[in-house]
Amino acid sequence: MPFLVRMIFLLLALLVGVSSCVHNIHVVPVPDRPSSAGIPRSLHLITSAPLLEGADHRPGITLLKWPQSDLHQAILGYLQQRGTFVSVSDEPGDLTLRVATHLSLTSRRGLYHYRIVLRGEMSAGERPINSYRVEQTVAGSSVRWVTSSDRVPIETALRLALEELTEEIEKDRPLYRQTADEAEQ
């Protein structure tokens, strides 16, 4: 076989090998406990695509894919199970929560660390009410060989961040009750 043909086969094999190793993340964070301070209002959840940041603040994380639809379902499922609001859906509600997610990956002391930052903006109609920022970091394994080596720490970090976010929202319960009562008048 001529040299050029062998090089093309080698490059194609490398491309197929690398692309087949992409970790498609699917997470299902579950609340540790139900809400202790429910808000008697419906919530419309809006999420944006997760921002992924690799080492040295580079965009994207090598071999990791986290679809926006999976992130949205993860947050929606968590909020529905937590029970902070009467209902949580993709449909308009009394309140709207917009959530932006930033996942960064670093390597320290031989372990990968997954940091999730959630920014939440709560509004009633077009009127902004409050904003939140929570951050959680979880240490993973020393290698990223299989999907679970990414999934488990990402799911844990997301669960912890969602727990902190909902606790902050629940602390503001009187604000959301008052806002909704004013809207009804």
Side-chain angles (χ1 to χ4, degrees):
M1 237 191 289
F3 176 75
L4 183 59
V5 173
R6 282 187 283 175
M7 286 304 290
I8 291 172
F9 279 126
L10 179 62
L11 287 174
L12 284 173
L14 248 151
L15 181 63
V16 169
V18 168
S19 65
S20 65
C21 292
V22 171
H23 299 182
N24 287 305
I25 298 303
H26 175 71
V27 295
V28 185
V30 177
D32 287 341
R33 62 188 179 284
S35 172
S36 59
I39 298 171
R41 304 292 179 226
S42 61
L43 181 73
H44 177 201
L45 176 67
I46 300 173
T47 59
S48 56
L51 173 64
L52 304 180
E53 181 182 309
D56 301 321
H57 306 287
R58 292 185 180 161
I61 298 174
T62 306
L63 304 179
L64 181 97
K65 186 176 173 184
W66 193 8
Q68 190 270 337
S69 59
D70 184 77
L71 172 63
H72 182 80
Q73 287 304 313
I75 295 173
L76 182 69
Y78 180 93
L79 292 174
Q80 289 171 335
Q81 290 180 47
R82 173 102 178 166
T84 299
F85 298 92
V86 171
S87 67
V88 181
S89 72
D90 297 326
E91 302 299 320
D94 301 324
L95 300 168
T96 299
L97 177 62
R98 288 175 174 77
V99 179
T101 305
H102 180 187
L103 169 66
S104 59
L105 177 66
T106 57
S107 179
R108 293 183 304 219
R109 297 186 182 138
L111 295 176
Y112 286 102
H113 292 262
Y114 299 79
R115 180 175 65 106
I116 288 194
V117 176
L118 296 179
R119 285 187 172 80
E121 299 291 330
M122 188 74 77
S123 62
E126 297 297 316
R127 189 171 56 117
I129 301 172
N130 209 349
S131 61
Y132 302 91
R133 182 189 182 282
V134 297
E135 177 180 329
Q136 291 291 329
T137 302
V138 172
S141 65
S142 59
V143 294
R144 296 180 57 226
W145 290 77
V146 294
T147 303
S148 64
S149 65
D150 282 329
R151 185 187 54 77
V152 171
I154 291 171
E155 184 173 88
T156 303
L158 181 60
R159 180 184 53 79
L160 292 171
L162 286 168
E163 187 145 317
E164 187 177 344
L165 176 65
T166 53
E167 287 172 358
E168 291 296 316
I169 290 170
E170 289 165 4
K171 285 179 189 173
D172 291 337
R173 182 177 188 256
L175 176 65
Y176 297 121
R177 289 181 59 108
Q178 176 186 6
T179 301
D181 290 340
E182 289 170 359
E184 289 174 359
Q185 294 176 359

